[in-house]
Amino acid sequence: MSDSVQMPALGESVTEGTVTRWLKNEGDRVEVDEPLLEVSTDKVDTEVPSPFAGVLEKILVQEDETVEVGAELAVIGSGEGGGDSAPAQDEQPAEQEQAPEPAQQEQPAEQEQPSQQEVAQEAQQQSASGSSGSGEGQKVQMPALGESVTEGTVTRWLKSEGEQVEVDEPLLEVSTDKVDTEVPSPYAGVLSKILVQEDETVEVGTDLAVIGGESGGGSASATEEAPQGAEEQAKEAEQPSEQRAEQHQGAATSTVPSEEAAPAPSEPKQAEQPKAEQQQTPPQEASTTPAPERPSAAETAKTSYVTPIVRKLAKDKGVDLDSLQGTGVGGRIRKEDVLAAAEKAQQQAAPAPAAAPAAKAPSIPEVSPLRGTTEKMSRLRKVIAKRMIESLDTSAQLTTVIEVDVTRIAKLRAQAKNSFQEREGVKLTYLPFFIKAATEALKAHPALNASIDGDQIVYHGEENIGIAVDTPRGLLVPVIKEAGDLTIAGISKRVADLAARTRDNKVTPDELGGSTFTITNLGSNGALFDTPIINQPEVAILGLGAIVKRPVVVTDADGNETIGIRSMVYLPLTYDHRLVDGADAGRFMQTIKKRLEEGAFEAELGL
């Protein structure tokens, strides 16, 4: 009998996916929930686990092919060893008949039977999908990660069944169409049961796990009895105290994976070893039993889940993930680990400064590891490319540029930046001044804060400003909602918060949509001006060039002209000529110019 593996639905708005890499070859054996292939969509790269066990008979969709959700990807047959987990479940009734009464569990000769029963039940629970929790406890539900998000995918559990979890401690990772985030635990207690397995997609409000209740404690105690029953059969002639010592020694040195299913009676030592005994050693054998070796950095990196974002960042920085020791929960490698390793490698590679250099060394940039290589375009980069082309095909775009003297603003900022940071908790940059001036101008010129819907013009009633943010994944545009009602301090806080969370991939999907006008800071890398592309369905985008000091002609109050050193900036505005005429764009830009050159922001800065 053969089973068909289909392209899963990785989000409500996702209709297709691209096979980026097959993790198994035709003829390979694959188990249930074992990673089978990698799939990429518009906003997420993820591994797809096998829904069946057996032999991968045929791959129907090759790498780099894009197919719709529900399309057949591969065929998995039963193979020689059977195609599913039914044998492990069939053994359960026989093992349950051998289970003794609770009063008999204290007898050494019969401890093996209940341990086999518990292990078989645990294997059955791990292979079951979507089962509901048992016993009392508090249920953790799939949170709503955005107004338009109706479902999410569990990418990784950060805690295992039987582990203690505290309130707000990271419990699992969830992926949606636009964001990958950690979900903190709303309760404190023992994680009794996991109801939704990794890589499963469920709707918002679905029960994910149960915290607390009797099932958590019972599971732990049953696991602790398993190795004792296994060692009892091999050491039944010895005294009970010697048996216990041998059990602890076996638990400390065991390397049997805890994911194995229930063992046959002839293999008692294959039972799962409990974490509690792996970490504890009786005092009387401290001098004879060697302590368990800590896993190496390479072993931790290979067994820990690494998100696609961290994997791409490591590739861009030239960092070997196998050499890293993760600082996240369970040894998980985070973005901070990759950045720290890259900085350390750069410091080690940098030549030591000479004590007395004869001449200044030239500033030669470091050669990129991508030089001379070829790599596949990421899914997000494909989306950005597609939308840029669509924007140019949709609207008639024209760019106008003005020059603004921001010397007064530069003086105000220098005068107020220290007290502002102490009072507001964020740095005072130039960007909030431009956003403030732009929102005031949008209120006076609504044609720049509009959109075209068929043959109708929609003039928006609020100024939602999108700010372009450069991230390791690519260019993203979080939105400051109702920016026209905020002060300089309010805008500064929102900009700092959104930019930081966007770079850390913690921004919500609702914060990445709904903009009515976009501002992009072109001068962050020294560019004087650019011709930005409109973010559809908006009709305009404003660029901010680098602020530089230049000699310019200055006219005083009496009309006398002199040459002075002033802080100057170019402001390019790209607008949709279908709706906005050149005169409209010019009047809008002159409104911004007048407001900025006046520099009357003392009241908002507390001066």
Side-chain angles (χ1 to χ4, degrees):
M1 179 178 178
S2 299
D3 298 296
S4 175
V5 180
Q6 298 180 341
M7 173 66 71
L10 299 175
E12 181 182 6
S13 60
V14 176
T15 60
E16 62 182 14
T18 302
V19 176
T20 56
R21 186 162 68 104
W22 281 97
L23 306 177
K24 293 288 185 178
N25 299 320
E26 292 184 358
D28 287 351
R29 178 78 185 180
V30 62
E31 302 299 333
V32 175
D33 291 336
E34 184 179 4
L36 181 61
L37 72 156
E38 291 181 353
V39 171
S40 175
T41 67
D42 288 351
K43 299 181 177 67
V44 65
D45 298 329
T46 183
E47 291 180 348
V48 176
S50 174
F52 315 106
V55 176
L56 180 58
E57 295 182 345
K58 188 172 182 60
I59 294 177
L60 304 178
V61 178
Q62 302 302 318
E63 294 181 357
D64 295 328
E65 288 190 20
T66 302
V67 295
E68 295 183 354
V69 170
E72 291 186 351
L73 301 176
V75 177
I76 294 180
S78 59
E80 297 179 359
D84 48 44
S85 58
Q89 298 178 356
D90 292 340
E91 293 176 6
Q92 182 180 358
E95 293 172 351
Q96 289 177 345
E97 293 177 1
Q98 298 175 0
E101 295 296 328
Q104 297 174 340
Q105 293 181 1
E106 299 178 358
Q107 299 178 6
E110 297 180 6
Q111 284 182 349
E112 179 185 2
Q113 295 176 354
S115 65
Q116 290 179 351
Q117 178 184 358
E118 294 293 338
V119 176
Q121 291 177 351
E122 182 179 3
Q124 182 181 8
Q125 292 172 357
Q126 291 179 352
S127 62
S129 175
S131 60
S132 59
S134 59
E136 298 179 356
Q138 295 170 305
K139 294 182 177 180
V140 180
Q141 296 181 339
M142 173 66 72
L145 299 175
E147 182 179 356
S148 61
V149 176
T150 60
E151 62 183 12
T153 301
V154 176
T155 55
R156 178 173 172 81
W157 282 97
L158 305 178
K159 292 288 184 178
S160 303
E161 291 185 0
E163 287 193 56
Q164 178 72 26
V165 62
E166 303 298 332
V167 176
D168 292 335
E169 184 178 4
L171 182 61
L172 72 155
E173 291 179 349
V174 172
S175 175
T176 67
D177 290 349
K178 294 184 178 180
V179 67
D180 298 329
T181 184
E182 290 181 349
V183 176
S185 174
Y187 314 109
V190 176
L191 180 57
S192 304
K193 186 168 182 62
I194 293 177
L195 305 178
V196 178
Q197 303 302 317
E198 294 180 358
D199 294 323
E200 287 190 21
T201 301
V202 295
E203 296 182 354
V204 171
T206 302
D207 294 338
L208 301 177
V210 178
I211 294 180
E214 299 178 356
S215 57
S219 173
S221 62
T223 308
E224 292 175 0
E225 294 175 1
Q228 295 179 8
E231 296 294 336
E232 200 72 48
Q233 183 177 5
K235 304 292 183 179
E236 61 181 354
E238 301 180 8
Q239 295 298 325
S241 61
E242 296 176 353
Q243 291 175 351
R244 178 176 297 179
E246 290 295 327
Q247 292 160 9
H248 281 282
Q249 183 177 4
T253 58
S254 174
T255 57
V256 179
S258 59
E259 290 83 359
E260 293 186 5
S266 60
E267 299 176 354
K269 292 187 178 181
Q270 297 295 325
E272 178 183 355
Q273 302 295 336
K275 291 183 179 179
E277 295 191 5
Q278 290 176 353
Q279 299 174 357
Q280 298 178 1
T281 303
Q284 61 269 24
E285 59 179 26
S287 61
T288 59
T289 303
E293 295 183 359
R294 184 177 180 180
S296 64
E299 294 173 346
T300 302
K302 291 179 180 179
T303 57
S304 299
Y305 172 78
V306 181
T307 64
I309 296 176
V310 174
R311 209 178 284 275
K312 180 180 182 301
L313 179 62
K315 183 177 181 181
D316 294 341
K317 297 290 185 180
V319 175
D320 184 9
L321 291 175
D322 292 343
S323 65
L324 296 185
Q325 178 72 45
T327 60
V329 179
R332 184 165 60 94
I333 297 176
R334 295 174 173 268
K335 180 183 72 175
E336 291 78 4
D337 300 328
V338 176
L339 294 176
E343 183 178 359
K344 182 178 179 181
Q346 185 176 4
Q347 292 176 353
Q348 293 177 349
K360 185 178 179 180
S363 300
I364 301 177
E366 182 180 354
V367 178
S368 171
L370 299 179
R371 182 174 183 264
T373 65
T374 302
E375 69 174 6
K376 184 170 56 179
M377 184 180 290
S378 67
R379 191 66 174 177
L380 180 58
R381 178 51 54 189
K382 291 180 181 179
V383 172
I384 293 175
K386 180 180 179 182
R387 290 177 179 173
M388 292 298 98
I389 295 298
E390 289 177 349
S391 178
L392 293 175
D393 290 341
T394 299
S395 56
Q397 302 191 22
L398 184 63
T399 302
T400 184
V401 184
I402 65 169
E403 188 179 27
V404 180
D405 185 347
V406 292
T407 304
R408 292 186 179 180
I409 292 180
K411 292 180 178 179
L412 282 177
R413 176 178 173 271
Q415 183 180 354
K417 63 180 181 179
N418 293 333
S419 60
F420 183 89
Q421 185 171 2
E422 294 178 359
R423 183 176 66 253
E424 304 297 341
V426 295
K427 292 183 179 180
L428 179 61
T429 64
Y430 287 102
L431 181 58
F433 294 97
F434 291 100
I435 295 178
K436 183 67 175 178
T439 55
E440 293 174 352
L442 290 173
K443 294 178 181 179
H445 304 276
L448 278 297
N449 193 47
S451 59
I452 299 176
D453 185 9
D455 58 354
Q456 294 183 331
I457 302 174
V458 180
Y459 298 99
H460 301 293
E462 54 188 20
E463 293 74 36
N464 297 332
I465 306 299
I467 53 174
V469 176
D470 180 32
T471 73
R473 299 172 58 196
L475 186 66
L476 296 176
V477 185
V479 182
I480 304 175
K481 301 295 178 64
E482 300 181 359
D485 299 332
L486 299 177
T487 63
I488 293 290
I491 294 174
S492 298
K493 293 178 181 179
R494 295 289 294 277
V495 168
D497 173 63
L498 281 175
R501 289 192 290 114
T502 301
R503 293 189 181 98
D504 293 339
N505 197 30
K506 295 181 179 180
V507 69
T508 64
D510 291 340
E511 293 172 317
L512 292 173
S515 61
T516 60
F517 186 86
T518 298
I519 295 179
T520 176
N521 188 6
L522 310 171
S524 58
N525 291 319
L528 295 180
F529 64 87
D530 203 340
T531 56
I533 298 177
I534 296 174
N535 184 20
Q536 298 294 331
E538 301 166 14
V539 295
I541 180 173
L542 178 66
L544 310 180
I547 298 176
V548 297
K549 291 184 178 181
R550 291 191 288 105
V552 297
V553 176
V554 181
T555 305
D556 61 18
D558 298 329
N560 299 318
E561 295 181 345
T562 59
I563 294 178
I565 297 177
R566 311 291 292 180
S567 296
M568 307 298 294
V569 62
Y570 290 110
L571 301 182
L573 175 76
T574 299
Y575 57 93
D576 189 347
H577 214 336
R578 296 180 302 166
L579 175 60
V580 182
D581 293 333
D584 297 328
R587 285 187 288 266
F588 172 75
M589 296 299 285
Q590 288 301 319
T591 302
I592 293 180
K593 177 183 175 72
K594 181 179 179 181
R595 182 72 168 98
L596 292 173
E597 291 187 343
E598 285 178 352
F601 297 100
E602 292 88 351
E604 296 194 36
L605 298 178
L607 298 177

